[in-house]
Amino acid sequence: AQSVTQPDIHITVSEGASLELRCNYSYGATPYLFWYVQSPGQGLQLLLKYFSGDTLVQGIKGFEAEFKRSQSSFNLRKPSVHWSDAAEYFCAAETPGTYKYIFGTGTRLKVLA
Amino acid sequence: DVKVTQSSRYLVKRTGEKVFLECVQDMDHENMFWYRQDPGLGLRLIYFSYDVKMKEKGDIPEGYSVSREKKERFSLILESASTNQTSMYLCASNRQNSPLHFGNGTRLTVT
């Protein structure tokens, strides 16, 4: 069965430190891949997407993600975290050409001042 | 910017009531979705619609129905609300092969 796994439920980092959030997928073929961020009480906002091509994808708010086919991973990174990055982050995948998105269970990021 | 608007941020309803959650998008998107979000379970698809009057069941359609009479509007209906339908409900829309755009969500409490 297709799945998206975010192994870390909670992550705590200090402001200014680097960040990596993990995402692994299990699909028959390479899906479209997305990272979304959700602030408390809000909907999900798209950070970045990967459809094909360059495996390093730049997004908004200084985030980037790297697609690694051999590891079935799409990890999200940021070189220096700001207090305003505290939120919940969701990885998602879509089988191309379908309406079927699968979301990970989310990683809640806490940022220490 | 795409705007997806959900009519209510918070709703409190009683068991057995019929509940309507409304969603409107302003970017002429073909596809619209209703998700339910619960802690530890991520987002689960209830229903989606790929055209006016067209709908397909998602992963957890039981106890829900939907209506799409106009392209910009997608309604989620709880025919007889139950306490296990207390949750955050998220509406989203997109064009095919483009990312989902989400509303701010409706937090529904059924007592």
Side-chain angles (χ1 to χ4, degrees):
Chain A
Q2 296 168 336
S3 65
V4 173
T5 302
Q6 293 179 248
D8 304 305
I9 298 173
H10 294 100
I11 282 186
T12 300
V13 299
S14 298
E15 191 170 18
S18 64
L19 172 70
E20 183 168 29
L21 302 182
R22 296 183 291 165
C23 174
N24 293 95
Y25 63 89
S26 175
Y27 269 71
T30 301
Y32 294 156
L33 294 161
F34 309 87
W35 275 100
Y36 287 87
V37 60
Q38 185 180 34
S39 298
Q42 302 294 316
L44 277 69
Q45 180 185 18
L46 179 71
L47 286 174
L48 47 78
K49 62 184 185 289
Y50 174 78
F51 285 2
S52 65
D54 193 347
T55 56
L56 187 61
V57 181
Q58 301 298 320
I60 63 170
K61 305 187 181 194
F63 285 93
E64 65 178 27
E66 185 170 14
F67 168 66
K68 292 187 177 179
R69 185 190 306 274
S70 61
Q71 298 177 19
S72 297
S73 70
F74 188 57
N75 293 349
L76 182 71
R77 301 193 295 244
K78 186 169 185 178
S80 178
V81 170
H82 188 262
W83 63 266
S84 60
D85 293 323
E88 190 155 22
Y89 292 80
F90 291 91
C91 182
E94 182 203 3
T95 302
T98 75
Y99 310 104
K100 304 255 181 207
Y101 291 78
I102 295 179
F103 286 82
T105 52
T107 298
R108 188 170 296 277
L109 174 66
K110 183 176 179 180
V111 180
L112 301 176
Chain B
D1 250 2
V2 176
K3 191 151 189 197
V4 179
T5 303
Q6 294 183 232
S7 54
S8 303
R9 292 299 302 275
Y10 301 94
L11 276 179
V12 180
K13 298 291 182 181
R14 293 197 179 274
T15 301
E17 278 193 79
K18 190 169 186 175
V19 181
F20 293 85
L21 302 183
E22 306 286 346
C23 175
V24 176
Q25 51 95 4
D26 65 358
M27 283 302 289
D28 202 37
H29 285 169
E30 297 88 8
N31 307 323
M32 296 188 75
F33 304 77
W34 276 106
Y35 287 91
R36 172 177 170 159
Q37 182 180 21
D38 299 288
L41 297 178
L43 277 72
R44 293 179 291 168
L45 181 64
I46 305 172
Y47 269 96
F48 71 93
S49 169
Y50 51 91
D51 202 350
V52 175
K53 298 190 186 293
M54 306 304 288
K55 60 186 178 186
E56 284 202 24
K57 293 180 181 179
D59 300 315
I60 51 164
E62 296 79 17
Y64 303 94
S65 62
V66 290
S67 172
R68 193 165 180 204
E69 297 296 319
K70 294 184 177 181
K71 191 174 186 179
E72 67 270 19
R73 185 179 297 272
F74 192 36
S75 303
L76 180 69
I77 304 153
L78 287 66
E79 296 290 343
S80 177
S82 64
T83 55
N84 63 13
Q85 292 178 311
T86 291
S87 187
M88 171 73 106
Y89 291 87
L90 293 168
C91 177
S93 72
N94 75 344
R95 290 196 175 87
Q96 191 163 4
N97 296 329
S98 70
L100 294 171
H101 296 266
F102 285 87
N104 282 335
T106 296
R107 186 165 294 282
L108 172 67
T109 302
V110 182
T111 61

